Amino acid sequence: MNLGVNIDHIATLRESRQISEPNPLYALPYLQAAGANQVTIHLREDRRHICEDDVCAILAQSSLPVNIESSLNAEILEFLCAQRPHSITLVPERREEITTEGGLELQANEQRIASALEKIAKAGIVPALFVDPTRENMQKSYELGARKVELHTGHYANVWLMLHGNLSRTRHSIKALQKSREELRSELDTSVWNLHDVAVFAQNLGLHVAAGHGLNAQNVGEVAKIGAIAELNIGHSIIGRAVFVGLKEAIGEILDAINKARGAS
């Protein structure tokens, strides 16, 4: 299983002071030394973290494949296709959101998505979609021209947090208080089963299957066990942990958890 490390939040720290550091570019040697397989960044419409200069610098200097997340914004896609990253993953965006809150709505945007995926593929870039884990979304992704899907694991991560985590500062605390541990355990098991079922379905269609959102060293195991998932993209938890132990160690902790779940020696 490959690990893509999302380094957006290094740029978030930089932008909080509107200065030049920390520079996400300087994360690249740490990612490679730690054993990461991919760099992931998101060029948002509001440029709240990664900007065009970051994209150009990272693509010029990364020895790892670069996956860039993007909305359907035509101007951004034109710029990204000209830069030729390894893959472009289309994601939903809302200006007021704190982070991506769900998968791309495929039915409501079929023509725009199909056109964007075609443009990406013609540029020699792997076209990918970030979607909620349903069989219907996998079938539609394939029909629209995606070669890769990333399953949104937010529901799984939220239920895991409600069952195991400290809820004092999360928006899920009220919901958790209304459910018994047995109900939460059942909901978590159902979420894992669904991720497995959908991943296998997508794999059988010929899609490369990735997953991500809300994953950390504590909860990644159940997702990592799913053999049909070939790639995980993890960012916030790695950068947050790196504040205390360093980036290489934080990536190593995630990789150890993945390898343990997959039964690697």
Side-chain angles (χ1 to χ4, degrees):
M1 172 176 278
N2 288 338
L3 174 64
V5 177
N6 186 313
I7 58 174
D8 289 345
H9 291 302
I10 297 174
T12 299
L13 287 173
R14 176 190 66 194
E15 294 305 309
S16 70
R17 293 289 296 272
Q18 294 288 298
I19 55 177
S20 61
E21 57 184 27
N23 189 334
L25 177 66
Y26 300 156
L28 298 183
Y30 294 97
L31 267 62
Q32 184 169 14
N37 308 101
Q38 177 174 271
V39 183
T40 293
I41 53 177
H42 183 175
L43 182 63
R44 291 183 61 99
E45 293 179 18
D46 59 16
R47 310 302 198 273
R48 67 173 62 169
H49 39 57
I50 295 296
C51 65
E52 284 87 344
D53 287 347
D54 295 321
V55 171
C56 294
I58 289 168
L59 285 171
Q61 298 194 39
S62 179
S63 59
L64 297 174
V66 179
N67 169 48
I68 304 184
E69 298 174 344
S70 171
S71 71
L72 290 166
N73 181 287
E75 183 180 349
I76 291 177
L77 285 174
E78 188 74 28
F79 167 75
L80 293 180
C81 285
Q83 304 310 310
R84 298 288 188 88
H86 174 261
S87 59
I88 294 176
T89 303
L90 299 178
V91 303
E93 270 189 35
R94 292 190 305 114
R95 290 294 178 97
E96 65 272 23
E97 69 188 1
I98 296 174
T99 184
T100 306
E101 296 174 346
L104 198 59
E105 289 288 340
L106 303 183
Q107 302 291 345
N109 299 283
E110 285 190 34
Q111 290 186 332
R112 291 182 68 198
I113 292 171
S115 177
L117 291 173
E118 182 180 15
K119 181 180 182 64
I120 292 166
K122 283 184 175 179
I125 302 162
V126 176
L129 295 174
F130 182 74
V131 290
D132 290 325
T134 69
R135 284 191 173 206
E136 292 76 15
N137 280 340
M138 301 305 103
Q139 184 68 43
K140 180 59 68 176
S141 296
Y142 176 77
E143 293 171 359
L144 291 174
R147 297 214 306 269
K148 173 181 171 182
V149 288
E150 181 169 345
L151 307 182
H152 179 244
T153 54
H155 177 70
Y156 162 80
N158 290 341
V159 177
W160 189 95
L161 184 63
M162 286 189 279
L163 185 62
H164 298 288
N166 177 2
L167 295 166
S168 61
R169 292 202 60 195
T170 76
R171 64 185 183 276
H172 311 292
S173 55
I174 295 175
K175 195 179 292 186
L177 291 173
Q178 296 171 343
K179 295 184 178 182
S180 67
R181 291 189 64 82
E182 290 74 19
E183 288 174 316
L184 289 171
R185 181 73 252 178
S186 177
E187 189 172 349
L188 189 66
D189 290 344
T190 299
S191 181
V192 173
W193 180 89
N194 180 64
L195 285 167
H196 178 274
D197 176 72
V198 171
V200 170
F201 183 81
Q203 184 184 55
N204 288 338
L205 288 172
L207 293 167
H208 178 89
V209 185
H213 196 82
L215 299 178
N216 56 44
Q218 288 71 49
N219 67 20
V220 72
E222 292 302 315
V223 179
K225 289 177 184 177
I226 301 172
I229 297 177
E231 171 190 316
L232 295 177
N233 285 294
I234 303 176
H236 184 268
S237 67
I238 290 177
I239 303 306
R241 179 65 174 154
V243 171
F244 301 101
V245 301
L247 189 53
K248 184 177 178 181
E249 181 70 21
I251 295 169
E253 290 176 356
I254 289 284
L255 286 172
D256 286 346
I258 292 171
N259 291 334
K260 181 179 179 180
R262 301 281 275 204
S265 57

